[in-house]
Amino acid sequence: RGGVDFGVDLICKGFVPYEQRLCPDTWFHAKRCLLALQEQLAKHMITIADESVTEIFAFLDHVDRHGKKISSTAADDEYSYMPSEGDNTIAAEARELKLLLLLSLS
């Protein structure tokens, strides 16, 4: 008990200051953790405290604010095999994660 809340707290506080620590590599790992949490919530396998949900939303708002000009892919050059489609910034992914979390909690 409390392990999920502690993990959420650790992820959210680990990015402060956002200007220095938010990059495609760190975002990738945080995003994977948040997606796994969202999957568990959607399957009703776990529950988390309301404070943790509020902290996640605040974290995603900060990421949205600071990640507008940061690409979400680390390999963003002419040799990249990833097709560039639309808005592939960290801010756009944070908005999508926030929407998924809202849908899984309703």
Side-chain angles (χ1 to χ4, degrees):
R1 290 215 139 181
V4 174
D5 297 323
F6 174 75
V8 166
D9 186 52
L10 196 64
I11 290 170
C12 294
K13 290 182 180 173
F15 274 83
V16 177
Y18 291 93
E19 319 65 56
Q20 295 175 356
R21 297 203 175 141
L22 186 61
C23 70
D25 293 330
T26 57
W27 173 243
F28 173 77
H29 295 291
K31 177 176 60 172
R32 285 184 54 197
C33 294
L34 292 174
L35 282 171
L37 173 66
Q38 187 273 332
E39 179 184 15
Q40 298 293 314
L41 288 170
K43 292 179 180 178
H44 301 286
M45 297 175 74
I46 61 169
T47 59
I48 59 174
D50 292 340
E51 294 84 22
S52 294
V53 174
T54 304
E55 189 172 6
I56 292 171
F57 286 147
F59 168 71
L60 291 174
D61 287 339
H62 286 294
V63 170
D64 185 15
R65 192 174 315 120
H66 294 283
K68 291 184 190 240
K69 295 182 181 179
I70 304 172
S71 174
S72 62
T73 57
D76 199 23
D77 57 9
E78 61 185 87
Y79 302 109
S80 175
Y81 294 107
M82 299 283 293
S84 178
E85 30 182 82
D87 189 17
N88 61 344
T89 62
I90 290 176
E93 287 187 357
R95 288 189 298 271
E96 289 176 16
L97 272 176
K98 189 172 180 180
L99 177 64
L100 281 174
L101 187 61
L102 281 169
L103 291 173
S104 69
L105 292 173
S106 59

